[in-house]
Every structure is written in structure tokens, then in C-alpha cells.
Amino acid sequence: MSRIGKNPVPIPEKVSVEISGLTVKVKGPKGELERVLPEGVSVSQADNAVTVSPIDTSRRSRERHGLCRTLVANMVEGVSKGYSKKLEIIGVGYRAQVKGKKLVVSAGYSHPVEMDAPEGVTFAVENNTLVTVSGADKELVGNEAAKVRGIRPPEPYKGKGIKYEGERILRKAGKTGKK
């Protein structure tokens, strides 16, 4: 049995959880999230905690047990605290700015790259080189941060590009001259 799945998910004071079958709705100060969990588990709410348990001992149920518990825990944390990912832009002339809800990135191409923020995600820029992607849905925040990084991934020779804060870039030695 999943060790993670056994732990109940505590519900903070300002968060409310509604469960109907496999659909879980979570409301909190940072927003509202809804997700349909996969088959093979049952979700119940007691006191100030949500518990996820497998329906039977089949392999599929046991596989999804810990996953579903973590999905519910991420939803609860997202609507109470929120999630954010920070990205650093490194390179001469590389910069970003926010225009309305769009993120405009100049990353060495002949044109600036514009990205629209989906519902529930916000972009913020500090010093033209530090981009923060934040929102309540962990999956959506991570996907948008990956899309921003995908505009110009860091290259291994000079380290130029867009990288996550704290990400280590493995550097390669350049060409050596003839002797």
C-alpha cells in the first residue's frame, strides 16, 4: 500500500472541499480548482481532512492511490498558498516585460516572442531578467514555466538562455586552438 496515499490531506481554515464521486472541488483565497480523479480510488472527507483509499487490491488501484492523494494535496495547497516558478534570463540584450496579460520576451531572435497568460496564471518581471510565473494550479504553473524556458533553453557553452532559478547548467569547453 502507498505510504504517501495513507496520509490524510489536512484542510486549512479558509479552504472548502466538495467531493461528489471522483470529482473534487477545492475553493480558497487564491482561487478555485476542480479535478476528476482517475478510476480505482475512493475519496472521502472527515473532520478537517480528506482521505484517499484504493477501491480494491488490484495493481491499477494501488498505482493510483498515492497519485490521487498528491493531486488533492496540491489542489489544497494551491488554493491556500499558491505556486510560483522563477526563471532567470541570461544573455546580452535578452529581456522580458509584461504588457497587460502578455509576457514579451526578447531572446536573440529577429522578433520578440509574446506569450498569453492562460486563465489562473500570472506573469511578473523584475529587473527585466527575472520572470515569475504564479498561480493556484501546480500543473498549469509548471507547464507555463516550461513554455517560457522553451523560448530559449540555456546553451552549454556560454550559458545564455532562460533557465529556472537554481538550475545548474553543465558547461562544455569550447574549441581549442591549433598548436
Side-chain angles (χ1 to χ4, degrees), residues 3 6 14 34 46 72 77 82 90 92 105-106 116 133 135 145 148 156 160:
R3 291 182 184 179
K6 285 182 188 177
K14 297 178 182 175
E34 180 177 351
V72 172
E77 188 177 335
I90 300 167
V92 177
V105 180
S106 301
D116 290 321
V133 182
V148 172
K160 291 166 57 173

Side-chain angles (χ1 to χ4, degrees), residues 2 39 41 43 45 55 57 81 91 97-98 122 161 164:
S2 172
E39 304 260 330
V41 295
V43 187
Q45 183 178 358
I55 290 177
T57 57
K81 298 176 189 169
Q97 58 188 11
V98 176
T122 56
Y164 295 115

Side-chain angles (χ1 to χ4, degrees), residues 146-165:
K147 286 180 189 175
V148 172
R149 184 182 184 274
I151 293 171
R152 178 74 79 172
E155 53 100 13
Y157 297 101
K158 291 184 180 177
K160 291 166 57 173
I162 303 172
K163 67 181 187 90
Y164 295 115
E165 189 178 56

Side-chain angles (χ1 to χ4, degrees), residues 118-130:
E119 191 67 38
V121 173
T122 56
F123 294 120
V125 178
E126 299 172 36
N127 310 0
N128 292 331
T129 58
L130 194 68

Side-chain angles (χ1 to χ4, degrees), residues 7-28:
N7 300 333
V9 180
I11 302 172
E13 286 181 15
K14 297 178 182 175
V15 176
S16 66
V17 178
E18 288 179 34
I19 299 168
S20 59
L22 290 175
T23 304
V24 179
K25 284 185 184 180
V26 184
K27 291 181 187 176

